[in-house]
């Protein structure tokens, strides 16, 4: 899998959050900010003629939390952010989630 990813020039974008270094926001705000940062970083990393899909691990906390998270993700797909607008549709579908153990074939590392 790693060899195929290298051959296809696959890249990954990661945003690491250190809550102790962030403002004292509620959990929902912190999650929304991290999703915004991730969306912007992915968009910035794409070349002019490149596109991608975003498949995120299913958020913990149950159905209500997942629905709230997906609603925020859909808003990004529709409206973008202050700095990134989705007019070029480089992210070709709304962000989707699934349990990471259901898509082990998409993970590029020891499972």
């Amino acid at each position: 899998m790693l060899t195929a990813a290298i051959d296809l020039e696959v890249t990954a974008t990661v945003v690491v959050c250190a809550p102790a270094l962030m403002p004292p926001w509620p959990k929902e705000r912190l999650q929304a900010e991290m999703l915004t940062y991730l969306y912007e970083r992915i968009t910035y990393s794409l070349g002019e003629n490149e596109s991608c899909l975003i498949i995120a691990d299913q958020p913990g906390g149950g159905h209500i939390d997942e629905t709230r998270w997906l609603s925020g993700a859909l808003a990004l797909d529709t409206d973008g952010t202050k700095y990134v607008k989705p007019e070029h549709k480089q992210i070709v579908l709304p962000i989707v989630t699934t349990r990471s153990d259901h898509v082990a074939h998409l993970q590029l590392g020891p499972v």
Side-chain angles (χ1 to χ4, degrees):
M1 182 68 79
L2 288 172
T3 301
I6 291 167
D7 291 345
L8 294 169
E9 299 179 16
V10 169
T11 60
T13 302
V14 178
V15 172
V16 177
C17 177
L21 301 176
M22 299 294 288
W25 292 329
K27 175 185 165 185
E28 293 78 18
R29 168 101 189 261
L30 185 59
Q31 288 175 343
E33 292 292 330
M34 292 301 100
L35 179 58
T36 298
Y37 296 162
L38 179 63
Y39 183 89
E40 289 175 349
R41 295 324 176 268
I42 289 171
T43 303
Y44 292 151
S45 72
L46 294 171
E48 187 175 322
N49 295 314
E50 293 180 315
S51 59
C52 75
L53 302 173
I54 302 175
I55 303 171
D57 192 12
Q58 191 173 43
H63 182 67
I64 292 172
D65 286 340
E66 182 180 15
T67 300
R68 183 181 307 116
W69 192 92
L70 285 170
S71 174
L74 184 58
L76 286 174
D77 184 62
T78 304
D79 304 325
T81 71
K82 178 179 177 180
Y83 303 103
V84 174
K85 299 301 176 201
E87 64 263 2
H88 297 106
K89 288 307 280 182
Q90 288 181 288
I91 300 173
V92 296
L93 294 172
I95 299 169
V96 295
T97 62
T98 187
R99 286 180 32 185
S100 58
D101 61 333
H102 287 180
V103 289
H105 53 288
L106 293 179
Q107 298 178 29
L108 299 177
V111 181

